[in-house]
Amino acid sequence: VDLNVGPDFITIDGSEGGTGAAPPEFSDSIGVPLEEGLCLARNFLIGANLRHKIKLIASGRITSGFSITRNLALGADLTNSARGFMMSLGCIQALKCNSNKCPTGIATQNKDLMYGLDPEIKSVRVYNYHKRTVNSALEIIGAMGCEDIKELSAEKIMRRVRTNETQTLSDHFPIVPNGCLLDGTAPNKLQTAWDGV
């Protein structure tokens, strides 16, 4: 902050992501879920008065129009998807990505196994998946009454938190005031983490 230098973007890859190359214990037990990680990064950047300078990219099991919409509403400038595209290619989650023995031919250099990956057929599937997922996100955003993605906010999405209780995503993941980390007025946990850096 003091040097006035920083990254152009930060990619938050939630613990929901990962590949078949990751050890199961890592995939199942380590990391921070995307929503929490994205909101933490967003709040650090807002609290440090840097959000306007740094783009946030959300990644980690973004496979549907709603998952795109939700992450944009929580503060992502854009989203990445790997799993959805792998599935549209024909991935069966054999968990052999790091072994060069992927039975579908997607994650291998073995020519005998690569035979299963037909680019002419699979490219159409990938194109259709992408087109329909983006269209779904745009339909959801329009159904929320937004004419532009910039109108999207966490206040417009509800989440059930208990059997008879819902909250907006903005209630669940509140946004901190701009610059609050710099003047020491951020919420305690965030300020403590910032001060410890």
Short mmCIF file of all heavy atoms in Angstrom, two decimals, residues 129-187:
data_model
loop_
_atom_site.label_atom_id
_atom_site.label_comp_id
_atom_site.label_asym_id
_atom_site.label_seq_id
_atom_site.Cartn_x
_atom_site.Cartn_y
_atom_site.Cartn_z
N TYR A 129 -21.92 -25.94 -23.92
CA TYR A 129 -21.91 -25.76 -22.45
C TYR A 129 -21.64 -24.29 -22.12
O TYR A 129 -22.35 -23.68 -21.32
CB TYR A 129 -20.87 -26.67 -21.80
CG TYR A 129 -20.61 -26.32 -20.36
CD1 TYR A 129 -21.55 -26.65 -19.38
CD2 TYR A 129 -19.46 -25.63 -19.99
CE1 TYR A 129 -21.33 -26.30 -18.06
CE2 TYR A 129 -19.24 -25.29 -18.67
CZ TYR A 129 -20.17 -25.62 -17.71
OH TYR A 129 -19.97 -25.26 -16.41
N HIS A 130 -20.60 -23.72 -22.72
CA HIS A 130 -20.24 -22.33 -22.43
C HIS A 130 -21.38 -21.38 -22.81
O HIS A 130 -21.78 -20.53 -22.00
CB HIS A 130 -18.96 -21.96 -23.19
CG HIS A 130 -18.51 -20.57 -22.92
ND1 HIS A 130 -18.75 -19.54 -23.78
CD2 HIS A 130 -17.84 -20.05 -21.87
CE1 HIS A 130 -18.25 -18.42 -23.28
NE2 HIS A 130 -17.70 -18.71 -22.13
N LYS A 131 -21.90 -21.54 -24.00
CA LYS A 131 -22.97 -20.65 -24.48
C LYS A 131 -24.18 -20.72 -23.56
O LYS A 131 -24.75 -19.69 -23.17
CB LYS A 131 -23.34 -21.03 -25.90
CG LYS A 131 -24.40 -20.13 -26.51
CD LYS A 131 -24.68 -20.54 -27.94
CE LYS A 131 -25.78 -19.66 -28.52
NZ LYS A 131 -26.08 -20.02 -29.90
N ARG A 132 -24.59 -21.93 -23.20
CA ARG A 132 -25.79 -22.09 -22.38
C ARG A 132 -25.57 -21.62 -20.94
O ARG A 132 -26.49 -21.09 -20.31
CB ARG A 132 -26.26 -23.54 -22.42
CG ARG A 132 -26.83 -23.88 -23.78
CD ARG A 132 -27.27 -25.31 -23.89
NE ARG A 132 -27.80 -25.55 -25.23
CZ ARG A 132 -27.69 -26.68 -25.87
NH1 ARG A 132 -27.08 -27.72 -25.30
NH2 ARG A 132 -28.19 -26.81 -27.07
N THR A 133 -24.37 -21.81 -20.41
CA THR A 133 -24.09 -21.38 -19.04
C THR A 133 -24.08 -19.85 -18.95
O THR A 133 -24.68 -19.27 -18.03
CB THR A 133 -22.74 -21.95 -18.55
OG1 THR A 133 -22.79 -23.37 -18.68
CG2 THR A 133 -22.47 -21.60 -17.11
N VAL A 134 -23.42 -19.20 -19.89
CA VAL A 134 -23.41 -17.73 -19.90
C VAL A 134 -24.81 -17.20 -20.12
O VAL A 134 -25.25 -16.25 -19.44
CB VAL A 134 -22.42 -17.20 -20.97
CG1 VAL A 134 -22.58 -15.69 -21.16
CG2 VAL A 134 -20.99 -17.55 -20.59
N ASN A 135 -25.58 -17.81 -21.05
CA ASN A 135 -26.95 -17.37 -21.29
C ASN A 135 -27.80 -17.53 -20.03
O ASN A 135 -28.60 -16.66 -19.69
CB ASN A 135 -27.56 -18.16 -22.45
CG ASN A 135 -28.91 -17.60 -22.85
OD1 ASN A 135 -29.03 -16.42 -23.14
ND2 ASN A 135 -29.92 -18.45 -22.84
N SER A 136 -27.61 -18.62 -19.32
CA SER A 136 -28.33 -18.85 -18.07
C SER A 136 -28.02 -17.75 -17.05
O SER A 136 -28.92 -17.22 -16.39
CB SER A 136 -27.97 -20.22 -17.50
OG SER A 136 -28.53 -20.40 -16.22
N ALA A 137 -26.75 -17.39 -16.92
CA ALA A 137 -26.36 -16.32 -15.99
C ALA A 137 -27.03 -15.01 -16.39
O ALA A 137 -27.57 -14.30 -15.53
CB ALA A 137 -24.84 -16.16 -15.98
N LEU A 138 -27.03 -14.70 -17.67
CA LEU A 138 -27.65 -13.45 -18.12
C LEU A 138 -29.16 -13.47 -17.89
O LEU A 138 -29.75 -12.44 -17.51
CB LEU A 138 -27.34 -13.22 -19.60
CG LEU A 138 -25.86 -12.94 -19.90
CD1 LEU A 138 -25.63 -12.88 -21.41
CD2 LEU A 138 -25.39 -11.67 -19.22
N GLU A 139 -29.81 -14.61 -18.07
CA GLU A 139 -31.24 -14.72 -17.81
C GLU A 139 -31.54 -14.51 -16.32
O GLU A 139 -32.50 -13.83 -15.96
CB GLU A 139 -31.78 -16.07 -18.26
CG GLU A 139 -31.89 -16.20 -19.76
CD GLU A 139 -32.36 -17.58 -20.21
OE1 GLU A 139 -32.33 -18.53 -19.38
OE2 GLU A 139 -32.75 -17.71 -21.38
N ILE A 140 -30.71 -15.09 -15.46
CA ILE A 140 -30.90 -14.93 -14.01
C ILE A 140 -30.71 -13.47 -13.62
O ILE A 140 -31.52 -12.90 -12.88
CB ILE A 140 -29.92 -15.84 -13.23
CG1 ILE A 140 -30.29 -17.31 -13.43
CG2 ILE A 140 -29.90 -15.48 -11.75
CD1 ILE A 140 -29.23 -18.29 -12.97
N ILE A 141 -29.67 -12.85 -14.14
CA ILE A 141 -29.41 -11.44 -13.82
C ILE A 141 -30.56 -10.56 -14.31
O ILE A 141 -31.02 -9.65 -13.59
CB ILE A 141 -28.05 -11.00 -14.42
CG1 ILE A 141 -26.91 -11.73 -13.69
CG2 ILE A 141 -27.87 -9.49 -14.34
CD1 ILE A 141 -25.56 -11.64 -14.37
N GLY A 142 -31.09 -10.85 -15.49
CA GLY A 142 -32.24 -10.11 -16.00
C GLY A 142 -33.49 -10.34 -15.16
O GLY A 142 -34.24 -9.41 -14.87
N ALA A 143 -33.69 -11.58 -14.72
CA ALA A 143 -34.86 -11.90 -13.87
C ALA A 143 -34.77 -11.20 -12.52
O ALA A 143 -35.80 -10.98 -11.87
CB ALA A 143 -34.96 -13.41 -13.68
N MET A 144 -33.56 -10.83 -12.13
CA MET A 144 -33.38 -10.09 -10.87
C MET A 144 -33.67 -8.60 -11.05
O MET A 144 -33.57 -7.83 -10.10
CB MET A 144 -31.95 -10.29 -10.36
CG MET A 144 -31.66 -11.71 -9.96
SD MET A 144 -29.90 -12.03 -9.68
CE MET A 144 -29.60 -11.05 -8.23
N GLY A 145 -34.02 -8.21 -12.27
CA GLY A 145 -34.35 -6.82 -12.53
C GLY A 145 -33.16 -5.96 -12.93
O GLY A 145 -33.26 -4.74 -12.99
N CYS A 146 -32.05 -6.61 -13.22
CA CYS A 146 -30.84 -5.86 -13.60
C CYS A 146 -30.76 -5.76 -15.12
O CYS A 146 -30.91 -6.75 -15.82
CB CYS A 146 -29.59 -6.56 -13.09
SG CYS A 146 -29.55 -6.77 -11.30
N GLU A 147 -30.52 -4.55 -15.60
CA GLU A 147 -30.32 -4.36 -17.03
C GLU A 147 -28.84 -4.38 -17.39
O GLU A 147 -28.49 -4.43 -18.56
CB GLU A 147 -30.95 -3.04 -17.47
CG GLU A 147 -32.46 -3.06 -17.37
CD GLU A 147 -33.11 -1.82 -17.91
OE1 GLU A 147 -32.46 -1.07 -18.66
OE2 GLU A 147 -34.29 -1.60 -17.58
N ASP A 148 -28.00 -4.33 -16.39
CA ASP A 148 -26.55 -4.34 -16.59
C ASP A 148 -25.94 -5.13 -15.44
O ASP A 148 -26.43 -5.07 -14.31
CB ASP A 148 -26.02 -2.89 -16.58
CG ASP A 148 -24.58 -2.80 -17.00
OD1 ASP A 148 -23.71 -3.32 -16.27
OD2 ASP A 148 -24.30 -2.20 -18.05
N ILE A 149 -24.86 -5.84 -15.72
CA ILE A 149 -24.20 -6.63 -14.67
C ILE A 149 -23.75 -5.74 -13.51
O ILE A 149 -23.72 -6.17 -12.36
CB ILE A 149 -23.02 -7.43 -15.26
CG1 ILE A 149 -23.57 -8.54 -16.15
CG2 ILE A 149 -22.13 -8.00 -14.18
CD1 ILE A 149 -22.53 -9.37 -16.84
N LYS A 150 -23.46 -4.48 -13.79
CA LYS A 150 -23.03 -3.55 -12.74
C LYS A 150 -24.12 -3.29 -11.70
O LYS A 150 -23.85 -2.83 -10.61
CB LYS A 150 -22.55 -2.24 -13.36
CG LYS A 150 -21.29 -2.40 -14.17
CD LYS A 150 -20.92 -1.12 -14.88
CE LYS A 150 -19.71 -1.38 -15.76
NZ LYS A 150 -19.53 -0.38 -16.79
N GLU A 151 -25.38 -3.59 -12.06
CA GLU A 151 -26.49 -3.42 -11.12
C GLU A 151 -26.63 -4.59 -10.16
O GLU A 151 -27.39 -4.53 -9.19
CB GLU A 151 -27.79 -3.23 -11.89
CG GLU A 151 -27.83 -2.00 -12.76
CD GLU A 151 -29.08 -1.96 -13.63
OE1 GLU A 151 -30.05 -2.70 -13.36
OE2 GLU A 151 -29.08 -1.19 -14.60
N LEU A 152 -25.91 -5.66 -10.43
CA LEU A 152 -25.99 -6.86 -9.61
C LEU A 152 -25.37 -6.61 -8.25
O LEU A 152 -24.32 -5.99 -8.14
CB LEU A 152 -25.24 -7.99 -10.32
CG LEU A 152 -25.34 -9.39 -9.78
CD1 LEU A 152 -26.78 -9.86 -9.77
CD2 LEU A 152 -24.50 -10.31 -10.64
N SER A 153 -26.04 -7.05 -7.19
CA SER A 153 -25.48 -6.90 -5.85
C SER A 153 -25.91 -8.07 -4.97
O SER A 153 -26.89 -8.76 -5.26
CB SER A 153 -25.93 -5.58 -5.21
OG SER A 153 -27.28 -5.68 -4.80
N ALA A 154 -25.17 -8.25 -3.90
CA ALA A 154 -25.45 -9.33 -2.96
C ALA A 154 -26.77 -9.11 -2.22
O ALA A 154 -27.32 -10.05 -1.65
CB ALA A 154 -24.30 -9.48 -1.96
N GLU A 155 -27.30 -7.92 -2.25
CA GLU A 155 -28.59 -7.64 -1.61
C GLU A 155 -29.75 -8.26 -2.38
O GLU A 155 -30.84 -8.40 -1.85
CB GLU A 155 -28.79 -6.12 -1.50
CG GLU A 155 -27.80 -5.46 -0.57
CD GLU A 155 -27.85 -3.95 -0.65
OE1 GLU A 155 -28.63 -3.40 -1.45
OE2 GLU A 155 -27.09 -3.32 0.09
N LYS A 156 -29.51 -8.64 -3.63
CA LYS A 156 -30.57 -9.17 -4.48
C LYS A 156 -30.66 -10.69 -4.47
O LYS A 156 -31.50 -11.25 -5.15
CB LYS A 156 -30.38 -8.66 -5.92
CG LYS A 156 -30.50 -7.16 -6.01
CD LYS A 156 -30.37 -6.68 -7.43
CE LYS A 156 -30.54 -5.16 -7.45
NZ LYS A 156 -30.61 -4.64 -8.80
N ILE A 157 -29.79 -11.34 -3.70
CA ILE A 157 -29.80 -12.81 -3.65
C ILE A 157 -30.05 -13.26 -2.21
O ILE A 157 -29.35 -12.82 -1.29
CB ILE A 157 -28.48 -13.40 -4.17
CG1 ILE A 157 -28.26 -12.99 -5.63
CG2 ILE A 157 -28.47 -14.93 -4.02
CD1 ILE A 157 -26.96 -13.47 -6.23
N MET A 158 -31.03 -14.13 -2.05
CA MET A 158 -31.38 -14.64 -0.72
C MET A 158 -30.77 -16.02 -0.51
O MET A 158 -30.58 -16.78 -1.46
CB MET A 158 -32.91 -14.74 -0.58
CG MET A 158 -33.66 -13.45 -0.80
SD MET A 158 -33.29 -12.20 0.44
CE MET A 158 -34.05 -12.91 1.88
N ARG A 159 -30.50 -16.33 0.75
CA ARG A 159 -29.98 -17.64 1.12
C ARG A 159 -30.71 -18.12 2.36
O ARG A 159 -30.87 -17.39 3.33
CB ARG A 159 -28.48 -17.54 1.41
CG ARG A 159 -27.96 -18.76 2.17
CD ARG A 159 -26.50 -18.75 2.36
NE ARG A 159 -25.92 -19.08 1.07
CZ ARG A 159 -24.66 -18.86 0.75
NH1 ARG A 159 -23.86 -18.29 1.61
NH2 ARG A 159 -24.19 -19.21 -0.42
N ARG A 160 -31.13 -19.38 2.35
CA ARG A 160 -31.75 -19.96 3.54
C ARG A 160 -30.64 -20.29 4.53
O ARG A 160 -29.70 -21.00 4.22
CB ARG A 160 -32.52 -21.23 3.18
CG ARG A 160 -33.21 -21.86 4.38
CD ARG A 160 -34.18 -22.95 3.99
NE ARG A 160 -35.16 -22.55 3.01
CZ ARG A 160 -36.21 -21.76 3.26
NH1 ARG A 160 -36.40 -21.27 4.46
NH2 ARG A 160 -37.07 -21.45 2.30
N VAL A 161 -30.74 -19.75 5.75
CA VAL A 161 -29.74 -20.01 6.78
C VAL A 161 -30.25 -20.95 7.86
O VAL A 161 -29.46 -21.57 8.56
CB VAL A 161 -29.22 -18.69 7.41
CG1 VAL A 161 -28.42 -17.90 6.39
CG2 VAL A 161 -30.34 -17.85 7.98
N ARG A 162 -31.55 -21.04 8.01
CA ARG A 162 -32.20 -21.99 8.91
C ARG A 162 -33.52 -22.40 8.28
O ARG A 162 -33.95 -21.81 7.29
CB ARG A 162 -32.45 -21.35 10.29
CG ARG A 162 -31.21 -21.18 11.13
CD ARG A 162 -31.53 -20.53 12.49
NE ARG A 162 -30.37 -19.93 13.11
CZ ARG A 162 -29.71 -18.87 12.68
NH1 ARG A 162 -30.08 -18.24 11.61
NH2 ARG A 162 -28.66 -18.40 13.32
N THR A 163 -34.22 -23.34 8.87
CA THR A 163 -35.46 -23.84 8.30
C THR A 163 -36.43 -22.72 7.94
O THR A 163 -37.01 -22.70 6.87
CB THR A 163 -36.15 -24.83 9.28
OG1 THR A 163 -35.22 -25.88 9.55
CG2 THR A 163 -37.41 -25.40 8.68
N ASN A 164 -36.62 -21.78 8.83
CA ASN A 164 -37.59 -20.70 8.61
C ASN A 164 -36.93 -19.33 8.51
O ASN A 164 -37.55 -18.32 8.82
CB ASN A 164 -38.63 -20.68 9.73
CG ASN A 164 -39.47 -21.94 9.75
OD1 ASN A 164 -39.81 -22.46 8.69
ND2 ASN A 164 -39.78 -22.44 10.92
N GLU A 165 -35.69 -19.27 8.09
CA GLU A 165 -35.01 -17.98 8.03
C GLU A 165 -34.14 -17.86 6.79
O GLU A 165 -33.41 -18.78 6.44
CB GLU A 165 -34.13 -17.79 9.28
CG GLU A 165 -33.45 -16.45 9.34
CD GLU A 165 -32.54 -16.30 10.54
OE1 GLU A 165 -32.55 -17.16 11.45
OE2 GLU A 165 -31.79 -15.31 10.58
N THR A 166 -34.26 -16.71 6.14
CA THR A 166 -33.40 -16.41 5.00
C THR A 166 -32.67 -15.10 5.26
O THR A 166 -33.10 -14.29 6.09
CB THR A 166 -34.21 -16.27 3.69
OG1 THR A 166 -35.19 -15.24 3.86
CG2 THR A 166 -34.86 -17.58 3.30
N GLN A 167 -31.58 -14.91 4.56
CA GLN A 167 -30.81 -13.67 4.62
C GLN A 167 -30.37 -13.33 3.20
O GLN A 167 -30.24 -14.23 2.36
CB GLN A 167 -29.52 -13.83 5.44
CG GLN A 167 -29.68 -13.97 6.90
CD GLN A 167 -28.30 -14.07 7.59
OE1 GLN A 167 -27.31 -14.46 6.98
NE2 GLN A 167 -28.25 -13.73 8.85
N THR A 168 -30.11 -12.07 2.99
CA THR A 168 -29.49 -11.71 1.72
C THR A 168 -28.02 -12.09 1.81
O THR A 168 -27.46 -12.24 2.91
CB THR A 168 -29.58 -10.20 1.44
OG1 THR A 168 -28.85 -9.49 2.43
CG2 THR A 168 -31.04 -9.73 1.41
N LEU A 169 -27.39 -12.25 0.67
CA LEU A 169 -25.94 -12.53 0.69
C LEU A 169 -25.18 -11.36 1.31
O LEU A 169 -24.14 -11.56 1.93
CB LEU A 169 -25.42 -12.81 -0.72
CG LEU A 169 -25.75 -14.17 -1.32
CD1 LEU A 169 -25.09 -14.33 -2.67
CD2 LEU A 169 -25.35 -15.31 -0.41
N SER A 170 -25.71 -10.14 1.18
CA SER A 170 -25.02 -9.00 1.80
C SER A 170 -25.14 -9.04 3.32
O SER A 170 -24.24 -8.57 4.03
CB SER A 170 -25.55 -7.67 1.25
OG SER A 170 -26.92 -7.53 1.52
N ASP A 171 -26.23 -9.62 3.85
CA ASP A 171 -26.32 -9.81 5.31
C ASP A 171 -25.34 -10.90 5.76
O ASP A 171 -24.73 -10.80 6.81
CB ASP A 171 -27.74 -10.24 5.72
CG ASP A 171 -28.75 -9.12 5.59
OD1 ASP A 171 -28.36 -7.94 5.67
OD2 ASP A 171 -29.94 -9.44 5.39
N HIS A 172 -25.23 -11.94 4.95
CA HIS A 172 -24.37 -13.07 5.28
C HIS A 172 -22.89 -12.73 5.14
O HIS A 172 -22.06 -13.19 5.91
CB HIS A 172 -24.75 -14.25 4.37
CG HIS A 172 -24.34 -15.57 4.87
ND1 HIS A 172 -24.91 -16.18 5.97
CD2 HIS A 172 -23.39 -16.43 4.43
CE1 HIS A 172 -24.35 -17.35 6.17
NE2 HIS A 172 -23.42 -17.52 5.26
N PHE A 173 -22.57 -11.90 4.14
CA PHE A 173 -21.18 -11.50 3.86
C PHE A 173 -21.12 -9.98 3.76
O PHE A 173 -21.03 -9.42 2.66
CB PHE A 173 -20.69 -12.12 2.54
CG PHE A 173 -20.67 -13.61 2.52
CD1 PHE A 173 -21.58 -14.33 1.77
CD2 PHE A 173 -19.71 -14.32 3.25
CE1 PHE A 173 -21.56 -15.71 1.73
CE2 PHE A 173 -19.68 -15.70 3.21
CZ PHE A 173 -20.61 -16.40 2.46
N PRO A 174 -21.19 -9.27 4.89
CA PRO A 174 -21.24 -7.80 4.83
C PRO A 174 -19.97 -7.20 4.23
O PRO A 174 -18.87 -7.73 4.36
CB PRO A 174 -21.40 -7.39 6.29
CG PRO A 174 -21.23 -8.60 7.12
CD PRO A 174 -21.22 -9.79 6.24
N ILE A 175 -20.17 -6.08 3.55
CA ILE A 175 -19.06 -5.33 2.96
C ILE A 175 -18.60 -4.30 3.98
O ILE A 175 -19.41 -3.63 4.61
CB ILE A 175 -19.52 -4.63 1.65
CG1 ILE A 175 -19.92 -5.68 0.62
CG2 ILE A 175 -18.43 -3.71 1.11
CD1 ILE A 175 -20.49 -5.11 -0.66
N VAL A 176 -17.29 -4.17 4.11
CA VAL A 176 -16.72 -3.21 5.07
C VAL A 176 -16.67 -1.82 4.44
O VAL A 176 -16.67 -1.68 3.21
CB VAL A 176 -15.31 -3.64 5.53
CG1 VAL A 176 -15.36 -4.99 6.23
CG2 VAL A 176 -14.32 -3.63 4.38
N PRO A 177 -16.58 -0.77 5.27
CA PRO A 177 -16.43 0.59 4.73
C PRO A 177 -15.09 0.77 4.03
O PRO A 177 -14.07 0.21 4.44
CB PRO A 177 -16.51 1.48 5.98
CG PRO A 177 -17.18 0.65 7.02
CD PRO A 177 -16.79 -0.77 6.72
N ASN A 178 -15.09 1.57 2.99
CA ASN A 178 -13.88 1.86 2.24
C ASN A 178 -12.83 2.51 3.14
O ASN A 178 -13.12 3.45 3.88
CB ASN A 178 -14.21 2.80 1.06
CG ASN A 178 -13.18 2.74 -0.01
OD1 ASN A 178 -12.61 1.69 -0.28
ND2 ASN A 178 -12.93 3.86 -0.64
N GLY A 179 -11.62 1.95 3.13
CA GLY A 179 -10.51 2.51 3.89
C GLY A 179 -10.49 2.20 5.37
O GLY A 179 -9.61 2.68 6.10
N CYS A 180 -11.43 1.36 5.85
CA CYS A 180 -11.53 1.11 7.30
C CYS A 180 -10.28 0.45 7.89
O CYS A 180 -9.97 0.65 9.07
CB CYS A 180 -12.78 0.31 7.62
SG CYS A 180 -12.79 -1.36 6.94
N LEU A 181 -9.55 -0.33 7.12
CA LEU A 181 -8.32 -0.95 7.63
C LEU A 181 -7.24 0.10 7.84
O LEU A 181 -6.41 -0.03 8.75
CB LEU A 181 -7.82 -2.03 6.67
CG LEU A 181 -8.64 -3.31 6.64
CD1 LEU A 181 -8.24 -4.17 5.45
CD2 LEU A 181 -8.50 -4.08 7.93
N LEU A 182 -7.24 1.11 7.04
CA LEU A 182 -6.21 2.15 7.14
C LEU A 182 -6.43 3.06 8.33
O LEU A 182 -5.47 3.56 8.92
CB LEU A 182 -6.18 2.98 5.84
CG LEU A 182 -5.93 2.16 4.56
CD1 LEU A 182 -6.01 3.06 3.34
CD2 LEU A 182 -4.59 1.44 4.63
N ASP A 183 -7.70 3.27 8.70
CA ASP A 183 -7.96 4.14 9.86
C ASP A 183 -8.28 3.35 11.13
O ASP A 183 -8.63 3.93 12.16
CB ASP A 183 -9.05 5.16 9.55
CG ASP A 183 -10.40 4.54 9.21
OD1 ASP A 183 -10.67 3.40 9.63
OD2 ASP A 183 -11.19 5.21 8.52
N GLY A 184 -8.13 2.02 11.07
CA GLY A 184 -8.28 1.19 12.27
C GLY A 184 -9.70 0.94 12.71
O GLY A 184 -9.93 0.55 13.85
N THR A 185 -10.69 1.13 11.83
CA THR A 185 -12.09 0.96 12.22
C THR A 185 -12.76 -0.28 11.61
O THR A 185 -13.98 -0.41 11.66
CB THR A 185 -12.91 2.21 11.82
OG1 THR A 185 -12.85 2.37 10.40
CG2 THR A 185 -12.38 3.45 12.52
N ALA A 186 -11.97 -1.18 11.06
CA ALA A 186 -12.52 -2.40 10.45
C ALA A 186 -13.05 -3.34 11.54
O ALA A 186 -12.68 -3.22 12.71
CB ALA A 186 -11.44 -3.11 9.64
N PRO A 187 -13.91 -4.28 11.16
CA PRO A 187 -14.33 -5.30 12.14
C PRO A 187 -13.10 -5.96 12.78
O PRO A 187 -12.06 -6.11 12.13
CB PRO A 187 -15.13 -6.29 11.29
CG PRO A 187 -15.64 -5.48 10.14
CD PRO A 187 -14.55 -4.48 9.86
#
